[in-house]
């Protein structure tokens, strides 16, 4: 088998790791939490970083009127099919199509990735902004608007007594690797076809 | 005037001399205190290297300290009610203090000992004896809570206890006061020959740690003062010091001090175990409580046991021998190798050390020196390994550093003396402040001591701390024993009166220390694991409130339909699953303590409202930013009122 094909197929297969490994992680640090608390975002669920973390984040957040972190989201129904679709498409391209299609697959993955991040942002925005008007603690920004508690999309941010970290996890790294492999496969394939 | 000058000159000289001495001491201790401070300083946020479990004596409890800092972390309630933790007050733990004499809310806790495997500390449990109403308690070292207490029948002054054998096969309890066995109405003056001393061997289940009296050895009516297990070659034997072999029943300070030598009783428990396993011994009617706390139901149950297996020592020849030991021995300590048994004749200046191998040889060669009630007495010369001569006054207890040295406390001369095993020479002595009783080296009663520190436990402190009226604290003193000479590092106050202590490296316990109780494992019959299931149930005059706590509210927090004369049981489940988030609860006028409920736990208290009105309850542990808002009301109507039973949270009762 051509090297380009192998690279492409390996890249595609890496996506399967998303069914096991977390995509993203949000970690909260606070003086009272010498062991930080947080949760991992998978394609099909939110999971405690350590037992009971989500429950404890909810308890903390209810004081400022934030909704509970949902046990499930509609996206969790959809995402596994999207990933399966991307894998199947990748396999078909890898086995049947020529190297130019590898780039097509990469672009499709980029679009899907962007949509995923945009969806994540919408959820975060809602989570940080839709606050109960009966909240025990209601902070205001200097301009008088209600303070929001949206975690960062990517990076680190201080929210009251918490420092929130939002970063990709192993699943996402493997996804990126897979996507880069498809690009490498494209260039290798082009070189192979030039010979 | 001239004379006066002369006198004052002499006085100045004397003073100068004394101060000179003092100064040399001072500068010495000054230099030391600099480095001593560093040695005991545990920086904020850092952890101590060792746990020290120091008995509370007449407080009935067991205190947990860190070494080398001497900081107190927790007082584990064992034999005494503790209103702070609701131990012995809440419905769940009241049965822990049940005895054949009914509810006994206090005891005199003495000798903690950590469980062992192959002669080394394994950190599963710590046992401690109640001296007054004879009991042995077991504390679980994952929760640091008392989980089992067994009463000892036929015993009184449960003092030569609660030491464990090399694999925690048994925890052993000996009686200090001999009594009629079975108890009966008889003249006190007929003590001699009629009273008996029971030595109890309590088996410890290797799986769940459950305690059960395997057998009681019914010994002559001596006072069995202290004991220690054999180890290594002497594993399978247990050694008990005795005094009052005179069998006096009055003015013991005189009449029990007449014999030049009392005994250390060597008991081959393996032999007796075999005898018992083959159907030996006699089942005797008895009545004693066995109280077990379940971590799943968060409740204790008390069962009265009606029978105990007793063994007559003369029926098991070759199992028990008496080793003559001078001057009413108190401590009876076995070195890490198991070869030497140290008897501390408390009215003597010497320590007497017996040799286990010589003892075995003497038994084989039948070098006896008579018998006591049919139990052979071995010839002193045949078993004696040597003695530490003129080591101090009033030796009490010895611990070992695992480097070939013994450390003995001397009550009367108020000092700790370091001496060498085998050569019996004194190496060093350091004063204690004052009148030291026990001492403890972490692992000092095991094959593997951690010979870095020794803790001396003093009976008297007088001027050592700022005064607190006539009753002043007792204290412990920490010495560095890593060098040739001991170095006093630290004084720290203790709860109650510290008797023995047990210590171990922090690593042995820290990682197993439980953080929360899992809610899904809570099997308390009145537990509710979510707010939707909370309710109030009336059963005649009894009302059961199934309540929950979570930051920062009770559910329900409004209750109506309670009547004067009701017995209202509040069963409160803490729904938290976060480390160090207990909730407390207290009810105005409740004739009991607060509850302090750990995450995932259920506890209950009884409230019997006596007055009509609306009565508040609140959270007693500052749980959160909205802790002050964590409160509720109970409406109490007159007896026979038609106000219906209702409860709610977050809305007004309709």
């Amino acid at each position: 088998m051509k090297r380009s094909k192998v690279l492409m197929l390996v890249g595609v297969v890496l996506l399967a790791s998303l069914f096991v490994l977390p995509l993203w992680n949000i970690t909260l640090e606070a003086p009272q939490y010498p062991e930080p608390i947080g949760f991992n975002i998978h394609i099909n669920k939110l999971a405690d970083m350590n037992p009971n973390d989500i429950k404890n984040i909810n308890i903390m957040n209810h004081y400022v009127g934030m909704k509970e972190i949902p046990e499930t989201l509609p996206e969790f129904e959809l995402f596994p099919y999207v990933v399966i679709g991307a894998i199947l498409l990748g396999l078909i391209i890898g086995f049947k199509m020529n190297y130019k299609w590898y780039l097509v697959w990469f672009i499709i993955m980029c679009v899907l990735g962007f949509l995923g991040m945009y969806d994540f942002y919408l959820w975060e925005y809602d989570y940080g902004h839709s606050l109960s008007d009966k909240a025990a603690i209601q902070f205001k920004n200097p301009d008088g608007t209600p303070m929001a508690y949206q975690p960062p999309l990517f990076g680190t941010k201080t929210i009251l007594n918490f420092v929130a970290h939002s970063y990709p996890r192993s699943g996402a790294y493997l996804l990126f690797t897979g996507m880069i492999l498809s690009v490498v496969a494209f260039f290798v394939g082009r070189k192979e076809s030039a010979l | 005037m001239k004379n006066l000058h002369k006198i004052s000159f002499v006085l100045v000289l004397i003073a100068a001399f004394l101060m000179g001495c003092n100064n040399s001491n001072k500068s010495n201790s000054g230099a030391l205190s600099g480095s001593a401070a560093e040695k005991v300083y545990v920086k904020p946020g850092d952890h101590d290297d060792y746990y020290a479990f120091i008995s509370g004596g007449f407080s009935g409890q067991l205190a947990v300290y860190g070494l080398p800092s001497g900081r107190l972390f927790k007082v584990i309630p064992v034999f005494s009610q503790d209103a702070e933790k609701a131990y012995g007050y809440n419905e769940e733990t009241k049965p822990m203090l049940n005895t054949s004499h009914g509810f006994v809310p206090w005891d005199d806790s003495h000798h903690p000992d950590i469980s062992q495997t192959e002669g080394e500390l394994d950190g599963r449990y710590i046992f401690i004896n109640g001296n007054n109403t004879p009991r042995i308690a077991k504390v679980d070292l994952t929760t640091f809570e008392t989980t089992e207490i067994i009463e000892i029948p036929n015993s009184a002054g449960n003092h030569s206890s609660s030491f464990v054998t090399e694999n925690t096969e048994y925890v052993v309890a000996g009686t200090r006061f001999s009594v009629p066995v079975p108890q009966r109405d008889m003249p006190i003056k007929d003590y001699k020959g009629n009273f008996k001393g029971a030595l109890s061997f309590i088996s410890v289940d290797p799986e769940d740690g459950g305690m059960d009296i395997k057998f009681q050895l019914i010994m002559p009516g001596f006072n069995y003062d202290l004991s220690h297990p054999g180890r290594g070659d002497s594993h399978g034997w247990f050694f008990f010091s005795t005094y009052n072999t005179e069998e006096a029943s009055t003015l013991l300070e005189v009449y029990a001090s007449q014999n030049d030598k009392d005994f250390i009783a060597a008991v081959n428990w393996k032999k007796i175990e075999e005898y018992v396993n083959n159907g030996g011994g006699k089942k005797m009617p008895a009545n004693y409580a066995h109280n077990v706390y379940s971590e799943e139901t968060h409740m204790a149950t008390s069962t009265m046991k009606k029978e105990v297996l007793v063994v007559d020592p003369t029926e098991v020849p070759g199992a028990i021998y008496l080793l003559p030991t001078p001057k009413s021995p108190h401590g009876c300590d076995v070195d890490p190798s198991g070869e030497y048994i140290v008897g501390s004749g408390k009215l003597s200046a010497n320590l007497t050390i017996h040799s286990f191998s010589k003892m075995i040889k003497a038994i084989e060669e039948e070098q006896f020196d008579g018998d006591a009630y049919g139990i052979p007495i071995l010839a002193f010369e045949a078993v004696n390994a040597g003695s530490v001569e003129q080591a101090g006054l009033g030796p009490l207890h010895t611990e070992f550093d695992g480097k070939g040295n013994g450390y003995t406390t001397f009550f009367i001369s108020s000092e700790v003396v370091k001496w060498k095993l085998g050569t019996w020479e004194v190496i060093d002595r350091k004063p204690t402040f004052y009148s030291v009783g026990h001492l403890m080296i972490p692992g000092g009663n095991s094959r593997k001591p951690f010979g870095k520190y020794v803790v001396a436990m003093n009976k008297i402190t007088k001027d050592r701390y700022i005064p607190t009226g006539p009753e002043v604290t007792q204290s412990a003193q920490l010495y560095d024993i890593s060098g040739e000479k001991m170095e006093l590092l630290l004084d720290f106050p203790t709860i109650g009166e510290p008797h023995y202590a047990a210590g171990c490296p922090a690593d042995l316990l820290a990682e197993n220390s439980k953080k929360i109780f899992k809610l899904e494992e809570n099997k308390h019959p009145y537990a509710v694991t979510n707010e939707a299931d909370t309710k109030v149930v009336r059963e005649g005059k009894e009302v059961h409130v199934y309540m929950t706590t979570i930051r920062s509210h009770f559910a329900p927090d409004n209750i109506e339909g309670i009547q004067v004369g009701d017995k209202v049981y509040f069963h409160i489940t803490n729904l938290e699953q976060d480390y160090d988030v207990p909730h407390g609860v207290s009810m105005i006028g409740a004739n009991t303590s607060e509850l302090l409920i750990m995450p995932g736990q259920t506890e209950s208290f009884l409230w019997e409202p006596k007055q009509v009105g609306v009565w508040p309850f609140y959270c007693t542990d500052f749980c959160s930013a909205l802790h002050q808002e964590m409160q509720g009301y109970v409406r109490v109507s007159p007896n026979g009122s038609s106000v219906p039973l209702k409860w709610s949270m977050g809305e007004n009762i309709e």
Side-chain angles (χ1 to χ4, degrees):
Chain A
M1 207 186 287
K2 283 186 192 163
R3 270 180 66 208
S4 60
K5 212 178 203 50
V6 173
L7 285 167
M8 176 64 192
L9 289 170
V10 169
V12 170
V13 168
L14 282 178
L15 256 67
S17 65
L18 291 177
F19 285 93
V20 189
L21 300 172
L23 204 48
W24 212 265
N25 170 276
I26 294 182
T27 295
L28 301 172
E29 287 173 1
Q32 298 83 352
Y33 286 92
E35 277 180 40
I37 54 177
F39 57 92
N40 287 324
I41 301 168
H42 294 251
I43 53 165
N44 55 353
K45 64 180 179 191
L46 299 171
D48 287 317
M49 202 163 81
N50 290 303
N52 303 302
D53 275 2
I54 292 177
K55 173 175 172 150
N56 293 325
I57 291 168
N58 286 339
I59 290 175
M60 227 83 61
N61 289 352
H62 96 279
Y63 289 117
V64 292
M66 291 166 78
K67 287 186 285 199
E68 293 203 342
I69 296 168
E71 294 212 345
T72 185
L73 290 167
E75 290 90 328
F76 293 153
E77 298 284 316
L78 181 66
F79 284 170
Y81 293 110
V82 174
V83 173
I84 287 170
I87 291 172
L88 286 177
L89 183 67
L91 290 177
I92 289 164
I93 290 172
F95 280 116
K96 299 282 176 201
M97 316 290 270
N98 78 20
Y99 71 91
K100 287 176 187 160
W101 284 87
Y102 300 172
L103 206 56
V104 174
W105 187 81
F106 172 75
I107 291 162
I108 291 170
M109 290 308 296
C110 285
V111 171
L112 288 175
F114 176 79
L115 288 175
M117 288 302 283
Y118 182 64
D119 183 70
F120 177 45
Y121 175 81
L122 288 182
W123 173 76
E124 268 196 334
Y125 184 89
D126 178 66
Y127 178 61
H129 286 79
S130 303
L131 305 174
S132 163
D133 56 2
K134 290 207 175 68
I137 301 171
Q138 302 194 15
F139 287 110
K140 292 211 166 11
N141 293 317
D143 64 4
T145 55
M147 190 180 276
Y149 307 101
Q150 184 182 351
L153 185 65
F154 180 92
T156 294
K157 183 175 153 191
T158 300
I159 309 170
L160 297 177
N161 57 324
F162 284 98
V163 177
H165 305 279
S166 175
Y167 290 102
R169 275 292 195 266
S170 50
Y173 292 125
L174 288 175
L175 167 68
F176 298 148
T177 309
M179 287 165 67
I180 288 163
L181 279 180
S182 70
V183 177
V184 173
F186 166 76
F187 285 112
V188 172
R190 196 168 63 174
K191 222 172 162 186
E192 284 165 351
S193 69
L195 288 174
Chain B
M1 196 65 190
K2 218 173 182 181
N3 273 347
L4 196 66
H5 273 293
K6 257 187 191 161
I7 289 166
S8 47
F9 178 69
V10 172
L11 280 177
V12 166
L13 269 185
I14 292 170
F17 174 73
L18 285 175
M19 281 171 68
C21 294
N22 241 346
N23 272 346
S24 63
N25 274 341
K26 273 257 162 64
S27 64
N28 204 5
S29 73
L32 284 177
S33 66
S35 62
E38 279 172 26
K39 284 181 178 176
V40 299
Y41 183 68
V42 178
K43 185 162 106 228
D46 279 4
H47 287 186
D48 280 284
D49 296 332
Y50 294 90
Y51 282 101
F53 296 88
I54 302 186
S55 80
F58 46 64
S59 89
Q61 317 296 48
L62 178 64
V64 187
Y65 295 83
L67 298 181
S69 73
R71 295 178 295 184
L72 173 65
F73 300 135
K74 184 175 186 181
V75 175
I76 302 170
V78 183
F79 295 115
S80 295
Q81 278 180 299
D82 182 350
E84 175 190 323
K85 298 179 173 61
Y87 181 81
Y89 285 96
N90 65 19
E91 298 305 306
E92 287 77 8
T93 57
K94 275 181 190 169
M96 289 303 280
L97 301 179
N98 189 39
T99 73
S100 61
H101 306 272
F103 182 77
V104 178
W106 170 89
D107 215 305
D108 182 11
S109 64
H110 271 249
H111 309 126
D113 203 16
I114 297 171
S115 56
Q116 299 186 9
T117 301
E118 289 176 2
E120 295 182 14
L121 304 182
D122 62 24
R124 290 178 297 150
Y125 310 110
I126 186 162
F127 300 90
I128 189 166
N129 52 319
N131 191 58
N132 179 55
T133 304
R135 289 176 270 184
I136 298 288
K138 185 182 76 194
V139 172
D140 186 310
L141 288 177
T142 63
T143 58
F144 290 67
E145 284 180 2
T146 307
T147 54
E148 193 171 356
I149 294 181
I150 192 162
E151 193 183 356
I152 314 295
N154 300 327
S155 187
N158 175 33
H159 196 269
S160 38
S161 319
S162 45
F163 303 103
V164 299
T165 55
E166 201 167 79
N167 294 301
T168 322
E169 295 95 338
Y170 295 98
V171 52
V172 174
T175 192
R176 189 170 123 213
F177 311 133
S178 283
V179 287
V181 175
Q183 273 291 5
R184 59 192 180 275
D185 181 13
M186 64 174 281
I188 300 170
K189 70 172 177 53
D190 295 343
Y191 178 126
K192 196 163 187 166
N194 289 314
F195 282 28
K196 298 288 175 198
L199 305 179
S200 308
F201 284 74
I202 300 153
S203 60
V204 180
D205 189 295
E207 293 302 314
D208 62 13
M211 297 192 289
D212 188 29
I213 300 177
K214 175 91 170 175
F215 60 87
Q216 286 193 312
L217 202 52
I218 305 299
M219 296 283 283
F222 309 150
N223 289 30
Y224 297 86
D225 204 12
L226 278 154
S227 66
H228 268 97
R231 51 181 65 99
D233 285 346
S234 58
H235 175 55
W237 289 78
F238 223 93
F239 304 94
F240 297 84
S241 60
T242 68
Y243 66 102
N244 194 23
T245 50
E246 297 86 348
E247 297 182 71
S249 63
T250 183
L251 198 62
L252 265 67
E253 66 170 311
V254 174
Y255 297 122
S257 307
Q258 297 304 304
N259 288 350
D260 180 55
K261 290 190 180 69
D262 295 279
F263 303 118
I264 284 177
V267 174
N268 186 336
W269 57 262
K270 279 221 163 144
K271 199 162 204 154
I272 300 168
E273 181 185 61
E274 198 186 315
Y275 167 76
V276 164
N277 286 344
N278 291 325
K282 199 176 82 199
K283 285 197 170 143
M284 175 185 160
N287 188 31
Y288 58 103
H290 183 208
N291 311 327
V292 180
Y293 181 85
S294 155
E295 212 176 86
E296 286 198 324
T297 62
H298 302 284
M299 280 175 110
T301 48
S302 179
T303 314
M304 295 309 296
K305 297 204 144 189
K306 298 294 181 188
E307 213 173 47
V308 67
L309 188 72
V310 294
V311 173
D312 176 346
T314 59
E315 301 273 311
V316 199
I320 301 149
Y321 297 92
L322 300 173
L323 285 59
T325 307
K327 299 290 173 197
S328 300
H330 187 60
C332 173
D333 299 290
V334 179
D335 86 304
S337 73
E339 165 64 8
Y340 297 117
I341 303 119
V342 181
S344 301
K346 63 182 182 283
L347 310 178
S348 146
N350 299 343
L351 296 176
T352 303
I353 296 100
H354 297 304
S355 152
F356 177 74
S357 52
K358 282 184 81 172
M359 181 188 97
I360 294 299
K361 193 156 167 272
I363 293 169
E364 279 164 7
E365 293 171 1
E366 300 190 350
Q367 299 194 49
F368 300 139
D369 191 1
D371 70 283
Y373 297 101
I375 301 170
I377 301 169
L378 291 163
F380 177 78
E381 292 305 328
V383 295
N384 184 249
S387 60
V388 183
E389 298 285 342
Q390 301 294 319
L393 283 178
L396 290 185
H397 300 281
T398 301
E399 291 259 299
F400 305 91
D401 62 4
K403 293 176 260 183
N405 303 301
Y407 298 75
T408 303
T409 53
F410 289 81
F411 179 79
I412 301 170
S413 53
S414 189
E415 58 190 337
V416 177
V417 173
K418 176 183 180 180
W419 50 274
K420 199 162 187 60
L421 281 154
T423 67
W424 322 123
E425 61 188 320
V426 171
I427 297 169
D428 188 26
R429 58 178 70 242
K430 283 286 180 297
T432 63
F433 306 93
Y434 307 92
S435 295
V436 62
H438 276 272
L439 78 173
M440 181 274 283
I441 292 171
N445 170 37
S446 78
R447 277 201 208 183
K448 189 183 159 196
F450 301 87
K452 191 169 182 198
Y453 302 110
V454 63
V455 178
M457 286 156 268
N458 302 312
K459 305 295 187 192
I460 296 169
T461 54
K462 304 236 184 206
D463 62 343
R464 295 296 287 183
Y465 302 97
I466 50 176
T468 53
E471 188 194 343
V472 293
T473 186
Q474 314 224 12
S475 84
Q477 287 183 300
L478 184 74
Y479 298 82
D480 181 341
I481 55 166
S482 54
E484 176 80 355
K485 299 285 179 188
M486 295 178 277
E487 182 190 350
L488 176 60
L489 300 179
L490 184 71
D491 266 21
F492 58 95
T494 59
I495 62 153
E497 180 196 339
H499 285 271
Y500 194 40
C504 67
D507 303 341
L508 189 64
L509 308 185
E511 58 190 40
N512 299 326
S513 181
K514 220 166 223 191
K515 293 184 169 174
I516 59 165
F517 296 104
K518 287 183 183 158
L519 208 49
E520 64 267 25
E521 289 170 7
N522 184 329
K523 296 203 170 72
H524 191 292
Y526 292 97
V528 274
T529 53
N530 63 76
E531 289 183 356
D533 294 342
T534 58
K535 60 186 173 183
V536 181
V537 177
R538 177 178 282 284
E539 294 163 6
K541 298 300 280 177
E542 245 178 47
V543 179
H544 292 272
V545 180
Y546 296 69
M547 190 179 267
T548 61
T549 59
I550 197 157
R551 282 163 287 173
S552 305
H553 58 266
F554 292 97
D557 63 2
N558 280 196
I559 298 170
E560 293 191 349
I562 303 298
Q563 298 176 10
V564 169
D566 281 346
K567 284 166 85 92
V568 185
Y569 289 93
F570 284 83
H571 307 286
I572 302 175
T573 304
N574 184 354
L575 297 181
E576 302 283 356
Q577 292 287 272
D578 198 358
Y579 190 25
D580 198 11
V581 190
H583 289 290
V585 66
S586 67
M587 181 79 217
I588 191 169
N591 302 102
T592 184
S593 75
E594 66 150 0
L595 299 179
L596 186 64
I597 314 150
M598 294 305 126
Q601 198 176 23
T602 305
E603 291 190 25
S604 311
F605 74 93
L606 170 63
W607 178 50
E608 296 176 87
K610 294 171 188 71
Q611 295 171 51
V612 165
V614 179
W615 305 102
F617 57 93
Y618 72 99
C619 175
T620 50
D621 182 286
F622 205 108
C623 57
S624 60
L626 278 295
H627 159 73
Q628 293 296 78
E629 283 70 15
M630 192 163 169
Q631 61 180 58
Y633 286 102
V634 181
R635 175 179 170 187
V636 178
S637 307
N639 190 9
S641 155
S642 59
V643 175
L645 195 63
K646 280 186 174 174
W647 62 93
S648 70
M649 190 268 294
E651 62 203 71
N652 286 325
I653 290 179
E654 295 293 313

